[in-house]
Amino acid sequence: MLGFALLFISVMMQIVWRYVLEIPLPWSDEAARYLLVWISLLAIAIAFRDDSHIRLDFFFNRFAPHVRHIIWVIFNLLSLVFLALLFFYGIPNAIMGKFTFSPGLSNLLPNTTVTLFVPYLSVPVTGGIMILNLVDYVLFNFKIKELGDSRAREKS
Amino acid sequence: MNLLVVCCVLLVLLILGLPIALIMGISGLTYFIVTGSLEYFPMIVTRLYSGMDSFVLICIPFFILAGDMMTRSGITDRLVKFSNLFVGRLPGSLAQANVVASGIFASISGSALGDIAAIGSVFIPAMKKEGYSGRFSAAVTAVSAIVSPIIPPSLIIILYASVINTSIGAMFVAAIMPGFLMIAGDMIIVHILSIRRKYPRREERMPFSEALKCTKDALIALIMPLIIIGGIMGGVFTPTEAAAVAVLYALIVGVFVFRNLRIRDIIVSMYNSAMSSGKLFFIIACVGILSWAFAMEDVPQQVLNLFSGMLAHPWLILLSINFFLLFMGMWLDLTANIFLFAPIFVPLITAAGVDPLHFSIIFLLNVNLGNITPPLGIVLFATSELSGEKAFDIVSELWGFWIIKVIILALVTSTPWISLWLPRLLGFES
C-alpha cells in the first residue's frame, strides 16, 4: 500500500516537471521539493521494514549467533529511540508550520492557503510509520534465533 | 574532548552494524547530550527536514530512474555487443569488453550499484563460460563499476556540489578525464593479466552489417549523456531539468525505439529509484545532525589551525587528506563522507591555494575507492552477492587494480591539468 502511494506521488512529480519545462510555474519548484521530501521519507520507512538501509554488517556477521541476537535487539532499540524523537519533536514543528504560509504553493489555489504544515507534517507522519515498520520487522524476526545472513526476512 | 566522545560512539555503533544514517543521527545527538545542551533537541527535526528540502537534490531520483529505465529497455545487451566489437580482438576479450561496457554504462547510470546489477549479471556468467575464474570475473566487474560514480551523470558529484555550492556542470566536465584514465588503467591491468594467464580472445571478425547495427544502438545510449552535459554546460537546463529530460529520453527510447519497456517496468523502475534515493536521503538528512555538531565545535577552523604551518606546502596537505579520505572511504559510505568532510576540507584547501574544482575530483576519487575495499565495500559485497564468490576471494584478485587506481589518484592529485583542462577549455573559471 505504501508502495502505491509512493508511486502515485512519483508520477505526479513527473507530470509537474513536464509542465515546468514548458511554462515555469511559480509553485512547481516548491511542490517538487515537498513531494521529494514526502517520497524519500516514505521510502525510508519502507526500507526499515525490509532492513535494507546501508549498514556495515562486516563485523556484525562475524559475531557468535547469540551475541549477534543481543546486539541486534540493542541497536533496534536505539533506532526506535531516535525515531521516537523524530516523531515527538516533529509534531510541534508541524503545528508551528501551520502559521507560516508557503509563498509559491499559495499562488496555486488563490482561495485556499497552503501553509508549511503540509511539508512539515511529513516528518512526524513518516516517523510514526517508520516506528511501526521497525516494530513490525523486529517482532517478525524476534523469534528467529538465527539471524543468519542478517536479513532473515525474505518475503515482504 | 566532546568530539572524542562523539567519535567513540560513532565507531562503536559502526562496528555494531547500525544503519549508517542512524549512526550519524545518534552520534550527533550524543554531542548535545555530552555538552548538556538538550534544548537543541527539538531542532533535529528542522535539521533533518532542511537536509532533504533542496531543489538540486531532485535530480538524484530522476537520474536513478533514467538509468534504471534504460537498463530495463535492454540497453545492456546492446552495449555488450558494441564493446565486444571494440575490444573483442584483444587478449582477454570478454574481460576487456566488461571494462568498456561498464565505462559506457557509466555515462547512463550515476551509481556503481546499478552498473553492477546490469553489467555483472550479463558478464559474470558469460566470462565463467569462457573459462575465466569466477573470482576474476567478479573482480573485473566490481572494479570497472566504480568508474560509474565518477563519469557523469554522477550522483556523488551532485551531492558534492550541493554541499559545497560549486557548479555541477563544471564538476561533470572535470570528472571526464579522470574517468577515462580509470577505464584505461583497468584495461591495462586486464591486458597484463590476460596475457599472463592466456585468456581467450575472439578470433572471428564481426560482419560489417552487425557492427553497424550495434554501433547505432550504442549511439542511442550515448546521446543521453550528451544531452545532460551539453544541456547543463550550454545553460539550457538546470541540472534538475536535465535529469527530468534524461528520464523523458529514456522513456522515449524504451517505449518507441527499443519497444520493450512496459508500464509494469516503468512502475517497478519508479519504485526502485524512490527506494534507492530514499536510502541516500536518509543519510543526507541524518548527517545534517552530526555536521551541525561539528560546526558548533568549529571543526573547520580547528583543522585550518592544525594545518596552518603547512599552508606553504599544499602537496603535503593534499597527501594527508588523501590518506585520511582513503581510510574513511573504507568505513563510511560516499554520501556520509561527502557531507561530513567536504565542508571541513574545502576551506583548508582554499587557504592553501589549491583549486577547489581540482580538489573536488581528488576528494571523490578517494572516497570512491572505498566502494571496493572491505569492511564496508558496498560495491564489493554487492558483486559478491551477485556472483556467489566470497568477498575475500574477489579481494585477492583486486590488488592489481587497486595499485593502478592509487597511481591514477596520485597522478590526478599532482597534475591539476588532468581535471582542469576540459572545464577551462569550455570556459569555466574557478
Side-chain angles (χ1 to χ4, degrees):
Chain A
M1 201 187 84
L2 267 180
F4 275 110
L6 199 78
L7 290 177
F8 179 61
I9 301 170
S10 306
V11 178
M12 294 252 305
M13 212 165 136
Q14 303 275 100
I15 296 167
V16 165
W17 259 106
R18 230 159 289 147
Y19 276 118
V20 172
L21 291 177
E22 285 164 14
I23 18 167
L25 299 167
W27 50 270
S28 60
D29 165 354
E30 273 176 45
R33 264 168 36 212
Y34 298 161
L35 281 173
L36 177 76
V37 173
W38 268 99
I39 291 172
S40 333
L41 282 168
L42 285 174
I44 293 167
I46 295 175
F48 267 109
R49 199 187 53 199
D50 305 341
D51 186 23
S52 61
H53 279 296
I54 299 170
R55 59 197 193 85
L56 186 75
D57 47 13
F58 181 82
F59 298 103
F60 182 80
N61 287 339
R62 276 162 184 71
F63 290 127
H66 62 279
V67 181
R68 196 188 298 168
H69 203 244
I70 296 167
I71 292 175
W72 184 78
V73 170
I74 293 175
F75 81 56
N76 277 316
L77 277 177
L78 269 176
S79 317
L80 216 55
V81 171
F82 183 76
L83 294 179
L85 281 176
L86 280 192
F87 179 62
F88 287 115
Y89 289 126
I91 294 171
N93 195 48
I95 292 172
M96 227 163 62
K98 190 117 184 85
F99 304 107
T100 322
F101 294 106
S102 169
L105 277 183
S106 298
N107 294 338
L108 166 63
L109 301 165
N111 296 324
T112 54
T113 43
V114 179
T115 61
L116 286 179
F117 182 64
V118 178
Y120 283 176
L121 193 64
S122 62
V123 177
V125 167
T126 51
I129 298 173
M130 281 179 216
I131 294 174
L132 290 181
N133 276 346
L134 187 63
V135 169
D136 175 39
Y137 162 76
V138 170
L139 288 183
F140 188 88
N141 284 315
F142 193 70
K143 293 187 198 99
I144 307 168
K145 273 278 185 301
E146 280 294 311
L147 280 164
D149 215 10
S150 84
R151 284 183 175 86
R153 185 171 185 172
E154 284 298 317
K155 67 186 187 81
S156 58
Chain B
M1 183 57 220
N2 294 328
L3 277 181
L4 201 65
V5 178
V6 172
C7 291
C8 287
V9 171
L10 198 145
L11 198 68
V12 170
L13 293 180
L14 200 60
I15 289 174
L16 285 188
L18 219 66
I20 287 185
L22 287 173
I23 295 176
M24 295 296 138
I26 293 174
S27 51
L29 286 183
T30 44
Y31 171 79
F32 295 105
I33 296 172
V34 171
T35 53
S37 39
L38 290 177
E39 70 272 17
Y40 286 115
F41 260 44
M43 281 169 74
I44 58 169
V45 177
T46 330
R47 291 297 303 189
L48 270 177
Y49 182 84
S50 59
M52 291 188 289
D53 181 21
S54 145
F55 190 66
V56 176
L57 292 182
I58 299 176
C59 54
I60 287 176
F62 280 160
F63 275 133
I64 299 177
L65 184 61
D68 201 76
M69 285 202 305
M70 278 297 226
T71 315
R72 270 166 217 280
S73 64
I75 196 76
T76 324
D77 297 334
R78 295 173 165 89
L79 287 185
V80 168
K81 260 199 208 133
F82 179 68
S83 46
N84 207 359
L85 169 76
F86 248 104
V87 290
R89 304 290 296 260
L90 293 172
S93 56
L94 264 184
Q96 295 283 16
N98 189 341
V99 174
V100 173
S102 283
I104 303 175
F105 197 79
S107 65
I108 304 172
S109 93
S111 73
L113 289 178
D115 201 311
I116 290 282
I119 302 285
S121 54
V122 176
F123 270 107
I124 295 175
M127 282 174 75
K128 277 187 188 160
K129 210 190 284 169
E130 282 215 358
Y132 296 86
S133 69
R135 54 179 76 168
F136 180 71
S137 324
V140 172
T141 307
V143 85
S144 60
I146 66 162
V147 177
S148 203
I150 299 296
I151 288 192
S154 144
L155 299 187
I156 57 170
I157 286 183
I158 296 163
L159 293 177
Y160 188 96
S162 78
V163 182
I164 302 299
N165 279 327
T166 47
S167 145
I168 291 183
M171 278 183 76
F172 272 179
V173 176
I176 292 176
M177 287 265 283
F180 281 150
L181 268 182
M182 283 168 78
I183 298 174
D186 290 343
M187 287 179 73
I188 291 170
I189 297 291
V190 168
H191 191 76
I192 295 171
L193 289 178
S194 302
I195 289 180
R196 200 191 285 163
R197 297 180 187 169
K198 300 194 173 54
Y199 283 135
R201 70 166 84 187
R202 183 164 54 86
E203 296 300 340
E204 75 279 10
R205 278 182 168 277
M206 202 182 265
F208 183 71
S209 60
E210 210 186 323
L212 204 66
K213 190 179 173 302
C214 61
T215 311
K216 196 193 79 197
D217 285 341
L219 279 183
I220 289 177
L222 286 172
I223 287 175
M224 194 166 115
L226 277 185
I227 295 177
I228 296 168
I229 299 173
I232 297 177
M233 294 298 293
V236 184
F237 321 120
T238 64
T240 312
E241 286 164 343
V245 172
V247 171
L248 197 66
Y249 181 75
L251 207 61
I252 292 172
V253 168
V255 176
F256 297 111
V257 183
F258 295 155
R259 289 172 193 205
N260 41 13
L261 195 69
R262 279 186 298 272
I263 301 276
R264 209 188 140 64
D265 293 326
I266 299 174
I267 292 177
V268 174
S269 270
M270 280 184 176
Y271 181 81
N272 286 345
S273 70
M275 286 305 285
S276 27
S277 61
K279 286 174 210 162
L280 229 123
F281 276 59
F282 196 30
I283 297 176
I284 297 174
C286 291
V287 166
I289 300 174
L290 185 57
S291 60
W292 189 29
F294 276 5
M296 286 199 140
E297 279 288 298
D298 218 5
V299 175
Q301 190 58 42
Q302 284 182 15
V303 171
L304 198 59
N305 292 342
L306 189 69
F307 283 94
S308 58
M310 282 153 70
L311 284 183
H313 309 283
W315 63 272
L316 255 179
I317 297 180
L318 280 179
L319 192 69
S320 31
I321 292 180
N322 269 347
F323 277 118
F324 178 78
L325 288 176
L326 272 180
F327 179 73
M328 287 317 294
M330 296 177 186
W331 294 90
L332 294 177
D333 82 309
L334 294 169
T335 321
N337 268 321
I338 291 171
F339 277 76
L340 277 183
F341 300 121
I344 296 179
F345 287 138
V346 167
L348 171 66
I349 226 67
T350 320
V354 178
D355 191 306
L357 190 59
H358 175 212
F359 177 70
S360 64
I361 301 301
I362 301 173
F363 190 106
L364 296 181
L365 284 181
N366 264 311
V367 289
N368 187 33
L369 206 51
N371 261 331
I372 50 165
T373 48
L376 186 64
I378 296 172
V379 170
L380 177 65
F381 284 96
T383 321
S384 116
E385 208 167 292
L386 184 78
S387 64
E389 299 292 321
K390 284 210 182 76
F392 280 91
D393 291 342
I394 302 177
V395 169
S396 68
E397 289 280 354
L398 272 179
W399 60 269
F401 294 104
W402 275 336
I403 293 175
I404 199 89
K405 289 262 148 71
V406 172
I407 292 174
I408 290 169
L409 178 60
L411 212 65
V412 172
T413 311
S414 57
T415 1
W417 180 85
I418 294 174
S419 46
L420 294 180
W421 174 68
L422 213 48
R424 293 263 160 83
L425 193 71
L426 291 167
F428 264 100
E429 294 300 328
S430 44

